[in-house]
Amino acid sequence: TLADARRRHQPGVVLNLLLESQAQVNQSSNALGWTTNLRSAVESARDVYKRLVVGTAHSGVWDALWRADNVRAAVTALQRMVQGREIGADKVFDRVAAEVALALMQAARLCNDAASVHTVFTQCNAWLRSSTSAYNILLYTEARAYDAKAAVHVLKQMRAAGVRPDVHTWTTLMRGMLAAGRIDLATKLFALHLDFLPRPPADHAVQPDDTKLYAPEHNMLSGAQNLPGNLWEEWYAEDLRRGLDPFVTSWLKDLAIEMHEGAGKVRERHERIRTMRGRRSKQQVELPTPESPLVPWLPTLATHRLILRALFRAQRTAQVVAYFALLRRVWPQYCKWAGEPEDGPDGGLDGLERMLHGHLAQVVPRVRTLHGLTPVADTTAAGSAAAVAGSYTPYYRHCSDILRMIADIGTNTNTGRATNDNEPVDRLVYAKALHAYALQGDMTTVLHHMRRYQGFNDVAVWTEVVRCICEQIRADPHDAELLFPYGFDMTLCRSVSATTIPPALLKSAQPSWIGFVLIMAAMLASRGVHFNHVSYGIIVQTAAHLGDLHSVVRVVQYMHEHSPERFNVEMLRMVLASGDLSFFDKCRL
């Protein structure tokens, strides 16, 4: 039940569990039977909360308040539960207290309630001080806040308590570094896992064609270089002036030495057993998997995915290709740490390869051509100076086509195959290719491929249409035709979606660009495609760039009245970062 609560982001489960079973917890024989009918109790509690606290607010607000209030109440209940207790007096109670405290820390983390995370860890320290998972949650809150000193302090607490870190510890620390824009530190920390790789047998000479990595002293530092151009070893050898905290590097070195000494003892024990049995075979003892307490840092599939995405965002395409080529070569060695293969012989490597293809489709035009997502020549390009300069038709010439495509959603059964050549394309590659064309302002090509692959046109693809509109406007913010699209047929809106578009958006005979994108949002929402925070963020950022506070306010009001998305802190930062709005207008917003 606790695991299900974490998946569903329902800390209220923990609260009800604490409040309804407090008497049972005091009885060791019944302490583990407290989860009966708990989910129905949680749902009823949520319904009561909605009736008492909120009126016409959106359900997303209900859930957010409900979760936050439940976390704080659960912290208080947990404090009453452990008050006056001592660890070791009741083993069953100790188990329950540790599990509940850990689940509540996770629930508070999901609600971004760092204060509750620290409160639970402090009041239940006796039951959590030996839990790696508890320290990982603490580390997550500090890393998410980009507080490097606080994160290192958590690591020092771990070492002082004798708690061994695991792969999640270092991956969490890497997430914080990447969120702070320190990709160089994250790659250096990733490369330190090489210290935990196995050492070759004494009689094994590392060859250039080896497909197995060994600890650096047997490759790079000895000059053997078993894999030429090893990107990870280049990261390992980097000397960063403002590098990792010395405590982190020294602790990892000590852990690696300890692990290899332990593995050496295991290998010696196996050799003695073989000698006693008279066996002459030299069976190599494999390095344990990351689940073993002997290996505190080996990357999993999630770690590789994290690094690749960071390289994508940093536009380090050459490193992306080198990273994946190396990983493919040594995958038989690394796949056991990544988990069991899910599909095909390469398992999770297929998913990473799709990520690579999507990135290349976004940054390399020839890759888009290889996938059949070529640009469409438009000989009728005319209109704004920005569009003509790039030979792209201004978006206002496509307004009616865009609305007709929205109106046709659900009437076509195309599920991802091209309608003209029957050649399939990967969904991720398709979305990334459209992203590239949208950044160029090439609306003709975007709409052309959207017609070919109508089954792939989800909210991410329609967001690229919005991005394309905004890119054209940002390229030429003084073009009146881009700001007030004359090719926009209001009659079509009234006839197709008169009941789904807010009346205020249909009043103007000559709507602005902001009116058009909000009409798009309303029509798409009526067909089950809802703009997300990325979609609205692009719109808000463009309006702020134009210095158009009125348009920003229109978006905020529309989101409040008609969308499950809220005007959040990130969008507010976009507006505040714009130099085109006066200080007075920013304060008003």
Side-chain angles (χ1 to χ4, degrees):
T1 304
L2 293 175
D4 185 65
R6 287 195 293 270
R7 286 195 299 271
R8 294 174 176 269
H9 297 190
Q10 291 180 328
V13 171
V14 181
L15 170 67
N16 282 270
L17 182 147
L18 288 170
L19 296 179
E20 296 181 6
S21 64
Q22 203 162 349
Q24 294 184 23
V25 170
N26 294 327
Q27 303 173 8
S28 300
S29 59
N30 297 326
L32 302 181
W34 49 321
T35 58
T36 306
N37 299 324
L38 194 55
R39 188 169 301 166
S40 60
V42 172
E43 291 303 319
S44 63
R46 177 177 180 271
D47 292 338
V48 170
Y49 184 85
K50 287 163 60 176
R51 288 196 298 269
L52 292 177
V53 177
V54 296
T56 60
H58 191 272
S59 61
V61 180
W62 299 337
D63 289 342
L65 293 173
W66 176 73
R67 288 197 298 264
D69 284 355
N70 270 307
V71 166
R72 299 186 188 103
V75 170
T76 303
L78 179 62
Q79 186 175 10
R80 294 199 305 267
M81 173 179 157
V82 301
Q83 190 172 7
R85 291 276 190 168
E86 293 184 2
I87 190 170
D90 187 335
K91 292 184 178 180
V92 176
F93 178 86
D94 291 344
R95 174 184 170 186
V96 172
E99 290 183 356
V100 171
L102 194 61
L104 186 53
M105 287 183 67
Q106 179 73 345
R109 182 192 71 80
L110 292 171
C111 292
N112 298 324
D113 190 351
S116 294
V117 170
H118 286 273
T119 299
V120 174
F121 184 80
T122 301
Q123 68 187 20
C124 297
N125 185 263
W127 292 272
L128 296 176
R129 61 188 173 198
S130 60
S131 170
T132 302
S133 299
Y135 284 101
N136 287 345
I137 296 173
L138 270 180
L139 186 65
Y140 180 90
T141 60
E142 305 299 354
R144 190 176 185 275
Y146 319 147
D147 193 338
K149 291 184 178 179
V152 173
H153 178 69
V154 173
L155 293 176
K156 290 181 178 179
Q157 284 182 295
M158 289 183 69
R159 188 167 192 179
V163 178
R164 180 178 292 271
D166 57 15
V167 62
H168 303 293
T169 306
W170 307 114
T171 303
T172 298
L173 192 58
M174 286 167 52
R175 288 184 189 278
M177 294 172 178
L178 294 174
R182 296 306 306 270
I183 188 173
D184 51 342
L185 295 185
T187 54
K188 179 70 173 181
L189 177 57
F190 170 85
L192 290 179
H193 85 268
L194 297 177
D195 283 328
F196 296 87
L197 294 179
R199 295 170 176 172
D203 57 350
H204 176 76
V206 179
Q207 301 298 325
D209 59 348
D210 276 354
T211 59
K212 189 171 185 178
L213 285 179
Y214 297 103
E217 64 267 22
H218 299 281
N219 292 341
M220 176 187 62
L221 302 183
S222 64
Q225 289 285 2
N226 71 315
L227 288 180
N230 188 329
L231 177 66
W232 301 345
E233 290 185 346
E234 293 176 9
W235 289 342
Y236 183 93
E238 285 181 352
D239 183 15
L240 302 175
R241 291 184 179 181
R242 297 183 178 179
L244 295 172
D245 189 282
F247 173 81
V248 176
T249 54
S250 64
W251 193 17
L252 281 168
K253 293 289 184 183
D254 292 343
L255 288 169
I257 294 172
E258 178 186 345
M259 186 210 71
H260 285 298
E261 289 177 350
K265 293 178 181 178
V266 171
R267 190 175 291 110
E268 291 176 0
R269 186 166 63 251
H270 279 243
E271 290 291 342
R272 288 197 300 269
I273 293 175
R274 280 196 294 268
T275 302
M276 292 174 60
R277 295 179 178 178
R279 297 181 179 179
R280 297 182 180 179
S281 61
K282 296 183 178 180
Q283 181 180 0
Q284 184 177 352
V285 178
E286 291 290 338
L287 197 68
T289 59
E291 287 73 17
S292 168
L294 291 176
V295 188
W297 180 211
L298 290 174
T300 63
L301 193 63
T303 314
H304 294 302
R305 190 179 296 113
L306 178 68
I307 288 291
L308 282 173
R309 284 176 175 167
L311 296 175
F312 292 158
R313 289 192 295 268
Q315 297 295 313
R316 298 187 182 183
T317 303
Q319 288 193 351
V320 168
V321 175
Y323 185 107
F324 186 80
L326 174 61
L327 184 60
R328 174 177 284 281
R329 188 169 182 178
V330 299
W331 184 248
Q333 178 184 4
Y334 275 72
C335 69
K336 62 183 179 181
W337 304 324
E340 292 295 326
E342 297 178 0
D343 298 308
D346 289 333
L349 192 64
D350 292 340
L352 298 179
E353 187 171 12
R354 289 180 62 246
M355 289 176 55
L356 173 64
H357 289 175
H359 171 73
L360 294 178
Q362 179 177 327
V363 299
V364 183
R366 178 159 177 77
V367 174
R368 298 195 287 271
T369 302
L370 292 174
H371 285 278
L373 299 168
T374 56
V376 178
D378 192 345
T379 58
T380 63
S384 70
V388 172
S391 299
Y392 302 134
T393 305
Y395 79 90
Y396 53 76
R397 293 185 179 273
H398 296 285
C399 286
S400 297
D401 292 337
I402 292 172
L403 298 181
R404 290 192 185 95
M405 288 178 63
I406 297 175
D408 291 339
I409 291 177
T411 62
N412 193 300
T413 58
N414 183 6
T415 58
R417 286 186 173 273
T419 56
N420 54 351
D421 53 12
N422 291 323
E423 287 295 330
V425 65
D426 183 82
R427 181 186 291 268
L428 180 61
V429 171
Y430 169 72
K432 291 295 186 180
L434 292 194
H435 179 77
Y437 291 125
L439 289 176
Q440 298 171 11
D442 189 354
M443 183 65 79
T444 302
T445 300
V446 170
L447 296 180
H448 170 75
H449 293 301
M450 286 179 66
R451 294 187 188 97
R452 295 178 64 206
Y453 299 97
Q454 295 180 31
F456 281 176
N457 295 340
D458 55 9
V459 62
V461 173
W462 283 106
T463 297
E464 299 307 330
V465 176
V466 174
R467 191 190 308 275
C468 190
I469 293 172
C470 293
E471 287 295 328
Q472 288 193 8
I473 293 173
R474 289 168 67 91
D476 191 4
H478 303 293
D479 189 320
E481 291 179 332
L482 290 174
L483 299 177
F484 298 93
Y486 70 85
F488 182 19
D489 187 359
M490 293 294 293
T491 306
L492 177 65
C493 297
R494 296 187 179 96
S495 62
V496 172
S497 301
T499 60
T500 59
I501 299 177
L505 296 178
L506 299 174
K507 290 180 179 179
S508 175
Q510 185 64 35
S512 65
W513 71 275
I514 200 75
F516 176 71
V517 294
L518 292 181
I519 287 175
M520 281 180 56
M523 292 181 64
L524 285 168
S526 68
R527 284 153 177 79
V529 181
H530 299 274
F531 276 8
N532 56 25
H533 66 282
V534 177
S535 317
Y536 288 114
I538 295 170
I539 301 170
V540 168
Q541 190 174 30
T542 303
H545 177 76
L546 297 174
D548 187 357
L549 180 64
H550 176 69
S551 293
V552 174
V553 172
R554 286 186 66 185
V555 177
V556 175
Q557 290 176 341
Y558 178 87
M559 294 172 66
H560 177 71
E561 297 172 1
H562 306 288
S563 171
E565 295 292 334
R566 300 270 73 81
F567 183 77
N568 57 29
V569 174
E570 294 301 325
M571 297 181 192
L572 182 60
R573 285 175 179 164
M574 293 177 185
V575 179
L576 297 178
S578 172
D580 299 307
L581 286 177
S582 68
F583 179 75
F584 174 74
D585 287 337
K586 291 177 180 179
C587 290
R588 284 179 55 202
L589 184 60

